Amino acid sequence: MSEIAIVTGGSRGIGAATARMLAQRGYDVAISYLSNEAAAATVVRDIEAAGQRGLAVKCDAASETETEKLFEAVDRELGTLTALVNNAGITGKVDRLDSAPAETIRTCIDASVYGTIWASRAAVRRMSTRYDGKGGAIVNVSSIAAKLGSPNYYVWYAAAKGAVDALTIGLAKEVVKEGIRVNAVAPGIIDTDIHEHSSGLERRVEKEAHLIPMGRAGTPEEVAEGIVWLLSDVSSYVTAEILQISGAR
Ligand code: NAP
């Protein structure tokens, strides 16, 4: 029997790399996406090419109702969930807090904070021994922004990721005796669409490489390796951990 994973925001970037890697390591994988159906379909094809079952569900992470439907689709189509990656997220256009539109701030916080809360709650209800579940693992995709604060970029995003870190630690302790481990990864600058499409920063990966002690941005696969390790039994004594993957930034 394969392990069964949900990766939110699995159509592109870190989520897509994680979904592909999980399939290569023997997981059946459901991905959610917000609007890019074609990208989601490509990831599902790659999951299937790896010999696993794949499923793509359009689901706004910010919506409790849509998230419930995502989990019900996975119950129905794939079976008992064993792994969740809360990855869906956006930054919103770079701005100062005093001039950022409320909508930018709200959309970011809703996707990251409520997104992680709704999906984690649904996962605990399926995985916890308290609900006759068989256990499992949750990994939240945070950011080193929670530590740096991201002044003049997106302090609201940094605040959202700080909330994700607090949730990781608290929930990990809450369910530690119920067969569930909860961890996070905190990536630095990773080479994905987010910088240009969400933040509005052109060629950030090249322009800001000098700010990274390692001298380069990370790849989505380098983050996926950390996520997959935290989901696997190899990390069985690791919980409430926030693993920085940032080239020492
Ligand atoms: P990305 O390349 O822009 O991909 C974002 C993914 O999330 C896409 O699959 C997108 O779906 C999905 N998505 C966005 N909003 C959503 C919502 N409300 N509901 C469901 N899905 C949603 O971003 P990324 O760089 O891989 O970022 C992934 C995670 O890593 C985010 O949580 C981000 O904050 C975090 N992170 C990234 C970096 C970095 O430098 N890249 C650094 C630290 C942390 P569509 O394809 O349908 O649009």
Side-chain angles (χ1 to χ4, degrees):
M1 282 285 284
S2 289
E3 300 261 0
I4 295 170
I6 293 176
V7 180
T8 68
S11 45
R12 293 183 291 111
I14 293 168
T18 303
R20 291 185 171 106
M21 198 174 286
L22 284 170
Q24 284 154 10
R25 313 264 168 104
Y27 287 74
D28 291 330
V29 188
I31 59 166
S32 68
Y33 63 98
L34 187 62
S35 58
N36 197 332
E37 193 178 349
T42 304
V43 175
V44 169
R45 273 198 295 280
D46 291 344
I47 292 166
E48 289 169 350
Q52 297 301 130
R53 293 180 300 161
L55 179 69
V57 179
K58 183 171 160 57
C59 166
D60 183 349
S63 162
E64 180 192 4
T65 312
E66 290 183 28
T67 300
E68 286 298 320
K69 286 187 181 149
L70 163 68
F71 277 72
E72 285 160 15
V74 172
D75 293 340
R76 225 174 26 244
E77 310 272 331
L78 299 181
T80 309
L81 184 75
T82 55
L84 167 67
V85 183
N86 284 311
N87 166 78
I90 55 164
T91 57
K93 292 269 173 286
V94 161
D95 211 334
R96 283 173 52 100
L97 185 65
D98 49 359
S99 47
E103 190 54 24
T104 299
I105 296 169
R106 193 171 286 120
T107 309
C108 167
I109 291 176
D110 281 356
S112 272
V113 182
Y114 280 111
T116 303
I117 287 175
W118 301 140
S120 299
R121 188 177 65 157
V124 169
R125 288 175 177 166
R126 286 159 176 80
M127 295 173 177
S128 168
T129 52
R130 195 185 167 96
Y131 294 88
D132 295 327
K134 295 200 170 70
I138 299 172
V139 174
N140 299 324
V141 181
S142 179
S143 169
I144 59 161
K147 200 171 70 178
L148 301 176
S150 305
N152 303 307
Y153 274 67
Y154 27 60
V155 295
W156 58 87
Y157 170 79
K161 294 302 191 182
V164 168
D165 286 356
L167 185 83
T168 302
I169 293 164
L171 184 62
K173 293 176 179 174
E174 198 163 286
V175 298
V176 69
K177 291 191 175 157
E178 298 170 24
I180 306 174
R181 294 182 300 109
V182 186
N183 291 290
V185 292
I189 299 179
I190 308 300
D191 189 359
T192 72
D193 295 343
I194 200 170
H195 310 292
E196 197 161 333
H197 292 186
S198 183
S199 317
L201 292 165
E202 278 178 28
R203 296 180 40 246
R204 183 185 190 202
V205 162
E206 293 115 82
K207 283 186 187 158
E208 296 190 11
H210 68 283
L211 299 175
I212 306 165
M214 200 177 275
R216 66 167 178 86
T219 66
E221 289 73 23
E222 287 174 312
V223 180
E225 285 286 1
I227 296 170
V228 172
W229 178 72
L230 286 168
L231 289 177
S232 78
D233 286 343
V234 179
S235 64
S236 52
Y237 201 52
V238 182
T239 194
E241 182 59 49
I242 296 158
L243 175 64
Q244 195 166 310
I245 305 177
S246 66
R249 185 148 190 250

